[in-house]
Amino acid sequence: MTQVYSEIGRLRKVMLHRPGPELDRVLPSQLGDMLFEDTPYLAEAQKEHDAFAKILTDAGVEVLYLTDLMESAFQSPKVRYEFVTEFLDASHITSPALVEKLEDLYLRMAPKELVQTALSGIRTDDPRLADMTSFGNLGAREAVFAVKPLPNIYFMRDNSISVGHDVIYSHMEKRVRKRESIILRFVRRYAEEFKDSNEEDLYDLSLPQRIEGGDVLVLSDHSVIIGCSERTSPVAIEYIAHSLFEKGYDEVYAFDIGMHRASMHLDISLSMVDVDTFLYNPLIDGTTEIYRLFPSPTGVGYDYIGKDWHEALAQATKNPDVRLIPCGGKDDPLDAEWELWNLGANVLTIQPGEVIGYERTPITLDLLDKAGITVHTFPSGELSRGRGGTHCMSMPIERDLL
């Protein structure tokens, strides 16, 4: 059963994806489209990810791997047919003959092969497509992939969002990531792990407005923060706020962090690390417009809170003594910029006062230590090339109630 009513309750179960062959298909010529800063080295990325997973398992957290869950979900031929139809429809393939060929190819695959192929994509020079002679397919001859890979899917926070006992399936902003949410919807509906979860979707994947999980922070059973960003729109926030209010939540705080890749999601700039403590981005504190949404007779009302992060977080947590630790410190804005870029503010909390982060942000790590926060670290030279940290790479499924 899904149970996530905070960012800090003792973590019991989490969903991860260990990077696979899809990461080898990040091409230098397509870095921008694939949302990477450089080509990652798969073998090292896997070692880093294994170190991350070991910290979790050593702490008693049950790790669920996406590929295992996908294979479980795809045991039924009917489910495989539904998935392949929807997945290919979202793959932007313009030749009907190629779609028909690919559908036949996918449906002949056993679940394990289907999982790997869905993630890794299919090249246009794949021998299995050698007999594609339709005129309509000529336009795709210069493309590298007949079906593009999903190299960003190891950032499991973004494509589905656990809130309470329910879920939000993300409407991803970037084309390369849109199919991830389809995969997660099939996993969370049909995998054996979720058979008794009874999750309700708090959004609607068919809606056009963008929403991604990195912008959603669950503070408690009555309050949620959502970033209004490059990846999440005000309309989606209002829709989700309405769904949350119907579930008994009292308020949603919207942080308008702007349309910048450097701070693409709120969790790049804000992480809760203890019952009274947040790690935050000091470079945008005081510039971010903050709103409080609440139930009203007309549906969703809102108030303007201001630009002060401490004031907003104190109100959201009902704690006037809330502490804010600046990522990279406040002494030198260049230090803050460097450590924020290296995901210093993006950490996963295992339990109150204990977090996992990258080892590459020494100033922030020292500040957390001085604040009494225990930090587990591991190397991240390859994983960080995709612009995400430990919070980005993890989707909590079960946390203890506070």
Side-chain angles (χ1 to χ4, degrees), residues 1 42 153 210 229 261 277 382:
M1 180 183 72
L42 176 60
I153 200 168
R210 63 189 188 275
S229 70
R261 174 159 168 74
T277 308
E382 300 303 319

Side-chain angles (χ1 to χ4, degrees), residues 104-131:
D104 179 68
L105 182 63
Y106 277 99
L107 291 176
R108 291 176 183 271
M109 295 176 181
K112 190 177 188 68
E113 185 183 5
L114 177 58
V115 168
Q116 292 302 326
T117 306
L119 298 178
S120 299
I122 297 180
R123 290 172 50 159
T124 52
D125 61 359
D126 190 301
R128 294 170 294 183
L129 302 181
D131 62 348

Side-chain angles (χ1 to χ4, degrees), residues 243-293:
S243 295
L244 289 170
F245 298 153
E246 290 186 334
K247 290 288 183 177
Y249 282 80
D250 301 323
E251 55 190 9
V252 170
Y253 289 82
F255 281 52
D256 187 354
I257 60 175
M259 305 283 286
H260 312 292
R261 174 159 168 74
S263 55
M264 70 184 83
H265 290 140
L266 182 61
D267 67 356
I268 300 295
S269 294
L270 185 68
S271 294
M272 192 173 187
V273 298
D274 205 344
V275 291
D276 61 351
T277 308
F278 290 83
L279 184 57
Y280 82 110
N281 179 352
L283 301 181
I284 61 174
D285 181 18
T287 67
T288 302
E289 306 280 354
I290 304 171
Y291 302 86
R292 174 179 173 269
L293 284 66

Side-chain angles (χ1 to χ4, degrees), residues 94-306:
T94 55
S95 166
L98 180 57
V99 171
E100 185 176 344
K101 175 70 175 180
L102 289 166
E103 183 176 274
D104 179 68
L105 182 63
Y106 277 99
L107 291 176
R108 291 176 183 271
M109 295 176 181
K112 190 177 188 68
E113 185 183 5
L114 177 58
V115 168
Q116 292 302 326
T117 306
L119 298 178
S120 299
I122 297 180
R123 290 172 50 159
T124 52
D125 61 359
D126 190 301
R128 294 170 294 183
L129 302 181
D131 62 348
M132 279 303 304
T133 58
S134 76
F135 183 78
N137 194 49
L138 293 180
R141 287 179 303 178
E142 301 303 317
V144 178
F145 299 106
V147 182
K148 291 184 178 181
L150 298 172
N152 309 96
I153 200 168
Y154 70 95
F155 296 124
M156 293 297 298
R157 179 73 53 154
D158 297 333
N159 39 47
S160 72
I161 311 152
S162 301
V163 184
H165 297 308
D166 297 304
V167 62
I168 298 167
Y169 296 112
S170 302
H171 185 113
M172 312 292 279
E173 167 66 8
K174 302 298 183 180
R175 175 178 283 194
V176 70
R177 302 201 67 182
K178 287 183 182 294
R179 291 166 298 159
E180 294 179 29
S181 302
I182 296 172
I183 290 174
L184 267 295
R185 181 157 51 79
F186 275 84
V187 161
R188 298 181 75 145
R189 284 184 179 178
Y190 299 112
E192 184 71 15
E193 175 68 33
F194 292 93
K195 68 176 182 178
D196 298 321
S197 66
N198 296 315
E199 294 178 333
E200 181 181 338
D201 182 9
L202 301 180
Y203 194 52
D204 183 339
L205 197 53
S206 68
L207 295 174
Q209 298 296 331
R210 63 189 188 275
I211 172 71
E212 296 191 6
D215 280 316
V216 180
L217 276 66
V218 182
L219 292 187
S220 66
D221 59 357
H222 64 83
S223 185
V224 172
I225 297 176
I226 305 179
C228 183
S229 70
E230 178 191 51
R231 308 291 178 87
T232 296
S233 73
V235 175
I237 294 173
E238 183 176 32
Y239 187 103
I240 291 166
H242 187 270
S243 295
L244 289 170
F245 298 153
E246 290 186 334
K247 290 288 183 177
Y249 282 80
D250 301 323
E251 55 190 9
V252 170
Y253 289 82
F255 281 52
D256 187 354
I257 60 175
M259 305 283 286
H260 312 292
R261 174 159 168 74
S263 55
M264 70 184 83
H265 290 140
L266 182 61
D267 67 356
I268 300 295
S269 294
L270 185 68
S271 294
M272 192 173 187
V273 298
D274 205 344
V275 291
D276 61 351
T277 308
F278 290 83
L279 184 57
Y280 82 110
N281 179 352
L283 301 181
I284 61 174
D285 181 18
T287 67
T288 302
E289 306 280 354
I290 304 171
Y291 302 86
R292 174 179 173 269
L293 284 66
F294 52 86
S296 78
T298 58
V300 177
Y302 71 94
D303 291 328
Y304 175 62
I305 299 298

